[in-house]
């Protein structure tokens, strides 16, 4: 299996932050080449992240803060999968799709994958079938499912977390305390949610 850090170096927290790995839908984040990160996030900027989950992910600092929060809950595989899917959809040729699709599947989708994400049986089955002949939309259903899980479960907890509240108050957040992985939800809890794939366009 390909090393996922070679195909998706954005999953390596030590990777340079001045690369365009964190460009997401609806926003282009401009990086300063010689600065790993800004001195701090303004309270006004942090407040905007509370307007919607999409707005949080569209900002690099917001994406970074949310990723740090998920690490404290030992569920960072969700956002790493989402980022990998975003990168996958930027592939220019069919030759790029196959190795990336295989790596995503082996890392996040297959049973007992090292960073297996929580998908319902039908979505996992459809995604597994799509791997045979990968196209740009191969992971759309799985990505949408993981997005909704984060939006409806992790995002509200992030907005209540000390990490976020300190940013809103203009404080320099201390190192967050690790907590046990949350098992308070499963994908089945959101079976009634109608997928909206328009968020990816």
């Amino acid at each position: 299996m390909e090393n996922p850090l070679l195909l998706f170096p954005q999953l390596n927290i030590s990777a340079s932050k001045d690369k365009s790995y964190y460009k997401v839908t609806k926003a282009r984040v401009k990086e300063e080449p010689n600065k790993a990160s800004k001195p701090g996030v303004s309270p006004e900027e942090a407040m905007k992240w509370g307007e919607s989950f999409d707005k949080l992910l569209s900002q690099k600092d917001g994406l970074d803060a949310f990723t740090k929060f998920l690490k404290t809950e030992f569920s960072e595989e969700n956002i790493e999968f989402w980022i990998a899917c975003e990168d996958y959809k930027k592939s220019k040729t069919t030759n790029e799709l196959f190795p990336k699709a295989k790596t995503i599947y082996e890392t996040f989708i297959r049973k007992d994958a090292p960073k297996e994400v929580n998908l319902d049986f039908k979505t996992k089955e459809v995604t597994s079938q799509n791997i045979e002949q990968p196209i740009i939309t191969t992971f759309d259903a799985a990505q949408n499912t993981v997005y909704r899980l984060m939006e409806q479960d992790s995002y509200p907890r992030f907005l209540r977390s000390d990490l976020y509240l300190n940013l809103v108050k203009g404080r320099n957040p201390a190192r967050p305390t690790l907590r046990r992985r949350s098992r308070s939800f499963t994908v089945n809890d959101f079976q009634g949610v109608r997928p909206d794939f328009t968020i990816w366009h």
Side-chain angles (χ1 to χ4, degrees), residues 10-187:
Q10 67 272 32
L11 302 182
N12 183 353
I13 60 175
S14 64
S16 175
K17 299 299 184 181
D18 62 351
K19 297 181 181 180
S20 59
Y21 301 134
Y22 289 94
K23 290 181 181 177
V24 293
T25 53
K26 298 186 181 179
R28 282 183 178 269
V29 180
K30 293 183 179 179
E31 296 292 335
E32 297 182 22
N34 297 319
K35 294 184 179 180
S37 61
K38 295 192 298 184
V41 176
S42 70
E44 293 76 18
E45 182 181 357
M47 284 286 289
K48 291 180 181 179
W49 303 345
E51 295 177 8
S52 70
F53 186 50
D54 186 65
K55 182 161 290 188
L56 171 70
L57 297 189
S58 71
Q59 302 296 318
K60 181 188 178 300
D61 286 326
L63 181 61
D64 287 348
F66 185 63
T67 300
K68 289 178 183 178
F69 170 73
L70 291 183
K71 287 180 183 294
T72 70
E73 298 201 320
F74 302 99
S75 59
E76 65 270 21
E77 70 275 2
N78 291 324
I79 196 64
E80 290 180 0
F81 171 68
W82 187 86
I83 292 171
C85 289
E86 288 295 293
D87 181 83
Y88 173 81
K89 290 187 291 187
K90 295 183 180 76
S91 300
K92 304 295 185 182
T93 67
T94 303
N95 290 336
E96 288 183 60
L97 291 178
F98 186 77
K100 287 187 176 184
K102 182 179 178 182
T103 299
I104 291 175
Y105 178 78
E106 294 292 333
T107 305
F108 299 103
I109 306 288
R110 70 171 173 80
K111 184 178 180 181
D112 298 323
K115 297 186 177 183
E116 185 178 5
V117 293
N118 191 3
L119 297 174
D120 59 274
F121 176 79
K122 182 178 180 180
T123 300
K124 179 171 287 193
E125 185 177 39
V126 169
T127 304
S128 299
Q129 293 171 354
N130 290 342
I131 288 297
E132 300 296 328
Q133 294 181 317
I135 58 177
I136 287 293
T137 58
T138 290
F139 296 103
D140 277 6
Q143 185 182 17
N144 184 68
T145 297
V146 170
Y147 178 98
R148 291 302 183 194
L149 290 175
M150 292 191 295
E151 181 182 42
Q152 298 183 41
D153 187 81
S154 302
Y155 177 55
R157 288 203 307 277
F158 168 74
L159 296 180
R160 297 192 299 267
S161 70
D162 289 340
L163 187 154
Y164 175 69
L165 295 176
N166 284 333
L167 291 173
V168 170
K169 295 174 183 177
R171 298 173 182 170
N172 186 17
R175 184 170 183 170
T177 302
L178 297 181
R179 54 169 286 177
R180 288 180 176 273
R181 174 189 285 273
S182 172
R183 294 293 186 184
S184 60
F185 73 97
T186 67
V187 69

Side-chain angles (χ1 to χ4, degrees), residues 144 148-149 151-152 187-196:
N144 184 68
R148 291 302 183 194
L149 290 175
E151 181 182 42
Q152 298 183 41
V187 69
N188 292 326
D189 295 330
F190 303 114
Q191 288 298 306
V193 177
R194 185 177 181 180
D196 179 10

